[in-house]
Amino acid sequence: MALSHDDYPYLYETHLHTSFASKCASNTGAEMAKAAKDAGYTGIFVTDHHWGGNCAIDRSLPWDKWVDGFCAGYYDAKECGDKIGLDVFFGWESGFNGTEFLIYGLTPEWMREHPELRCPWGEDPDPSWDLTPEKQYKLIKEAGGMMIHAHPFREEWYIPETRLYPDHVDGVEIINATHSSPLSKSHNDPGFDDKAIVYAAEHDLPGTAGSDVHSTTMFGGGVAFRNKLVSAADYCNAIMNGGDYILTNGVNWFDKRGRKII
Ligand SMILES: [Zn+2]
Ligand SMILES: [Zn+2]
């Protein structure tokens, strides 16, 4: 029997930015939550740009205050989501000189206890901040989280080179709707995803999809399930342990290897 997206009615946006913590984003957490609900999503993961990325929070703040500012977009989205019936989960997008990772399954409280998440990218790096993608992976795994390589083959001015970490990620964002959605105004090249699909298959890494949305213009990308997720941990478990899900860029549907199904 052919795989049909009708059998996967629970769609999650796994890559979404808010203007609270992402300099490049246009809308608040609440606005993003409303737009996602209207677009038919069951839930969203708020993944703002962290320390080494295009983060809007003043890096001279004490760590706990910085984390409070960083998490404001998530809390704003969550408060709204609770009212309108949209599940809102916490995540973030870490940056290492243009190489980015999506982190899932951990909490703001955990982040507050881990100032070593500061990395040498961003303003005025302190020599004690020596986080690398490998060290971050170890930290995330010890805490029970999941780390996905975001858009590994995007080519853009802010990404000096493609750097791959097949042994230090749990999966690969093989469909990034910003690359292929007709609604996207940046990074338009579906070829970036084609390369990611090949890369993930070569290393037998599970594939994920997200839109990388920065405004209320929802692209409709994400990961779809047969059943509703009960938690962010549930999402991590499905991705890392061969769960039943499909992917979309908002236009087409794909299996978890990136093969078009409809
Ligand atoms: Zn951004
Ligand atoms: Zn992003």
Side-chain angles (χ1 to χ4, degrees), residues 17 22 24-25 49 54 93 212 214:
H17 295 273
S22 297
C24 34
H49 289 297
N54 200 13
E93 183 170 26
D212 207 353
H214 285 72

Side-chain angles (χ1 to χ4, degrees), residues 5-188:
H5 67 80
D6 294 336
D7 297 327
Y8 297 79
Y10 300 98
L11 179 63
Y12 295 83
E13 177 56 84
T14 67
H15 191 162
L16 173 145
H17 295 273
T18 78
S19 54
F20 286 93
S22 297
K23 261 188 196 163
C24 34
S26 314
N27 293 95
T28 65
E31 288 165 350
M32 295 301 279
K34 278 192 207 100
K37 175 75 180 173
D38 290 346
Y41 285 100
T42 303
I44 58 174
F45 292 81
V46 176
T47 55
D48 276 318
H49 289 297
H50 204 258
W51 190 272
N54 200 13
C55 183
I57 311 303
D58 180 356
R59 293 181 183 83
S60 66
L61 287 169
W63 176 249
D64 58 335
K65 295 280 179 295
W66 187 90
V67 172
D68 287 346
F70 180 79
C71 298
Y74 160 70
Y75 284 121
D76 190 48
K78 174 98 175 84
E79 194 186 333
C80 177
D82 287 348
K83 283 184 201 141
I84 63 175
L86 179 84
D87 289 333
V88 177
F89 301 117
F90 181 64
W92 68 94
E93 183 170 26
S94 68
F96 296 85
N97 197 20
T99 302
E100 295 180 291
F101 302 93
L102 293 159
I103 315 292
Y104 303 97
L106 301 176
T107 63
E109 292 70 32
W110 181 87
M111 184 181 284
R112 213 167 279 128
E113 287 160 19
H114 290 275
E116 66 272 40
L117 289 170
R118 289 178 287 197
C119 69
W121 289 279
E123 288 125 57
D124 300 325
D126 182 312
S128 70
W129 304 341
D130 59 355
L131 194 72
T132 61
E134 292 91 340
K135 281 186 186 174
Q136 177 181 259
Y137 185 61
K138 189 165 179 280
L139 203 58
I140 298 301
K141 296 318 289 175
E142 281 167 2
M146 174 171 82
M147 180 162 141
I148 302 292
H149 196 151
H151 45 70
F153 293 93
R154 177 181 293 172
E155 293 174 32
E156 207 51 86
W157 59 270
Y158 74 93
I159 306 171
E161 58 176 334
T162 297
R163 288 176 296 165
L164 302 173
Y165 298 88
D167 299 326
H168 296 90
V169 292
D170 296 305
V172 179
E173 185 187 57
I174 59 175
I175 306 289
N176 181 295
T178 290
H179 298 159
S180 58
S181 169
L183 301 171
S184 166
K185 293 194 172 64
S186 58
H187 319 308
N188 306 108

